Amino acid sequence: MFIKPLCTAALCLAACVSISGTSAAPAGADIGQAAEPIRGVNLGGLFVLEPWITPSLFEEWAHTANSPVVDEWNYCAILGKRECQTRLTRHWGSWVQEQDISTLADLRINTLRIPIGYWALAPDGSDPYVQGQIPFLQQILGWASKYRMRVILDLHGAPGSQNGFDNSGLRGDIRWTKRPSDVPRTLDALAGLARIANQNPSVVAIQAVNEPANWGVSKDTIIQFYTQAYGTIKSIAPQVAVVFHDAFLPAFEWESLVPRNLTDAILDTHIYHMFVDDVIRLSADEHIRKACTDGQTIGNFNQRTRTICGEFSLANTDCARWLNGFQKGARWDGTLPGSQPVANGASCSNQENMDAWSDNKRAFMQRFAMAQIQAYEQGTGWIFWNFKTESADSWNYIKLARNGIFPTPPIGRSLNVCPS
């Protein structure tokens, strides 16, 4: 969607939450479109590689014992900058096509969250990463405007890694904020995103950093950074909202994580059902109940600060190939080192192949989809991870929606899976 310059992010991202008793509409859109909840998808696997999303990019190392090529940093380090540039430029030009954005618009998705690493905006010449992402980002922003979608620009990778996950660009130790240059470089990257937002009215929010891990970076350090990030972004692009991840902290700590004086802030929480032993072992009905309970938590905090579920999926197993990291197995079947199978005979066979799903599994997936979007619309909305994948069907929104697992339009508030 186009956003008028005078439309504040608070109005454009409001989920039927009264801001001042009035609402402003995006250019060319009516007030109803401006006020509807965020119903979005992530464009993951594009500017920050994740082996499980696009395994074809990592396939040549699949059978190399203890391969170091586990993330984008090492992908480029092993290939060298010239070959990495060639391969990633080809990938950037092919993974997200205009047809994808058109299809998402037809499926009534209204928001795109676009992850990108600091190295695309504030590179360190000593890093192995390559650049050239911004023209492709600008192309996608043009498509977003054409199809009347809102955009959240998400700084998904910070210098040194803010969480040690491959989705930060560098798997391993958490080193972000440990070097004097880390925070200034991160703020420089956010300033770059803010300047892009000023050129593209479809951009209504910028995420300060994705999933900073509270076990590797102290809560006080995260709060201090959030305040700096807010000031940096707002000084350049005052019209956009600033999104803060909950740093994997429990809900009772959210109050202190987002200072009240950051008035145009959005809290982002990510909810997955497969990375924790107690959750992956839930029954089908228990997964539904958990989603509904999570929605109540989001709704409660949304009364204080707008709150979204910025990542979730329909996976109730971790069977997607390399989901837990390149060459790593799954908790579900006990192939992840240190794990035990969820149940005797638990198998990952066909768990991510929609064509092989039983009628019972398909029915559960439909209920699970409806429960989650209904639940998360108690807040300011939801953003599914991911728009598509090469082979992990329970993470592929386009395929799920085309096959009737998600309703079209995906209006959570019209559903009654969760108790009112």
Side-chain angles (χ1 to χ4, degrees), residues 156-415:
H156 217 69
S161 179
Q162 73 277 16
N163 52 35
F165 303 153
D166 58 11
N167 61 45
S168 71
L170 179 61
R171 194 176 98 184
D173 295 336
I174 301 170
R175 297 193 178 98
W176 181 58
T177 73
K178 307 301 189 291
R179 299 170 299 181
S181 63
D182 286 347
V183 170
R185 189 174 298 280
T186 308
L187 295 174
D188 285 347
L190 291 173
L193 291 179
R195 287 189 287 271
I196 290 171
N198 279 342
Q199 300 167 359
N200 296 276
S202 59
V203 178
V204 295
I206 294 173
Q207 184 142 8
V209 68
N210 178 67
E211 295 184 344
N214 70 78
W215 56 88
V217 184
S218 73
K219 180 180 176 182
D220 286 344
T221 298
I222 294 170
I223 293 170
Q224 181 181 20
F225 169 72
Y226 280 175
T227 302
Q228 292 175 288
Y230 188 92
T232 295
I233 294 166
K234 284 294 194 179
S235 69
I236 298 170
Q239 76 281 8
V240 304
V242 182
V243 182
F244 301 123
H245 183 258
D246 66 10
F248 303 105
L249 291 165
F252 68 83
E253 296 197 52
W254 292 355
E255 178 82 21
S256 57
L257 187 65
V258 183
R260 283 186 178 272
N261 64 313
L262 307 185
T263 54
D264 203 8
I266 296 172
L267 182 74
D268 172 25
T269 189
H270 298 170
I271 301 174
Y272 290 119
H273 284 236
M274 79 299 294
F275 293 127
V276 178
D277 286 345
D278 290 347
V279 178
I280 199 173
R281 295 175 184 275
L282 296 177
S283 69
D285 287 342
E286 287 169 337
H287 280 292
I288 301 295
R289 285 197 292 271
K290 178 183 176 346
C292 296
T293 300
D294 288 337
Q296 293 171 356
T297 301
I298 287 172
N300 289 338
F301 198 73
N302 194 70
Q303 298 176 44
R304 188 267 202 191
T305 296
R306 286 166 297 151
T307 306
I308 63 172
C309 179
E311 292 185 21
F312 71 103
S313 78
L314 295 195
N316 65 329
T317 79
D318 59 341
C319 286
R321 186 188 187 205
W322 301 332
L323 178 65
N324 294 303
F326 185 61
Q327 295 184 327
K328 292 187 177 183
R331 295 169 186 81
W332 185 259
D333 62 0
T335 57
L336 182 68
S339 69
Q340 296 292 326
V342 170
N344 289 334
S347 171
C348 278
S349 178
N350 289 324
Q351 291 286 354
E352 288 296 334
N353 178 6
M354 186 186 300
D355 293 338
W357 288 352
S358 66
D359 290 343
N360 283 343
K361 169 126 182 171
R362 186 176 291 269
F364 163 71
M365 291 299 224
Q366 288 175 321
R367 286 188 67 226
F368 196 28
M370 292 189 291
Q372 289 193 83
I373 63 174
Q374 179 189 352
Y376 307 150
E377 286 189 22
Q378 293 183 59
T380 296
W382 49 266
I383 307 174
F384 187 84
W385 190 281
N386 197 31
F387 80 111
K388 69 179 181 182
T389 61
E390 287 183 347
S391 57
D393 286 353
S394 59
W395 301 79
N396 185 332
Y397 189 90
I398 290 175
K399 188 170 183 178
L400 290 163
R402 280 176 163 172
N403 282 272
I405 304 299
F406 275 98
T408 301
I411 302 175
R413 291 176 176 176
S414 68
L415 304 171

Side-chain angles (χ1 to χ4, degrees), residues 80-92 130:
K81 287 203 172 186
R82 178 176 294 182
E83 179 63 17
C84 187
Q85 186 78 66
T86 297
R87 294 191 188 192
L88 288 188
T89 299
R90 182 167 59 242
H91 172 66
W92 299 330
V130 297

Side-chain angles (χ1 to χ4, degrees), residues 2-34:
F2 286 101
I3 310 297
K4 289 182 179 178
L6 295 179
C7 173
T8 67
L11 290 171
C12 294
L13 285 170
C16 303
V17 176
S18 175
I19 303 299
S20 60
T22 61
S23 180
D30 62 29
I31 290 174
Q33 288 175 303

Side-chain angles (χ1 to χ4, degrees), residues 61-73:
W61 299 284
H63 303 293
T64 301
N66 300 312
S67 171
V69 186
V70 298
D71 50 36
E72 186 162 336
W73 173 289

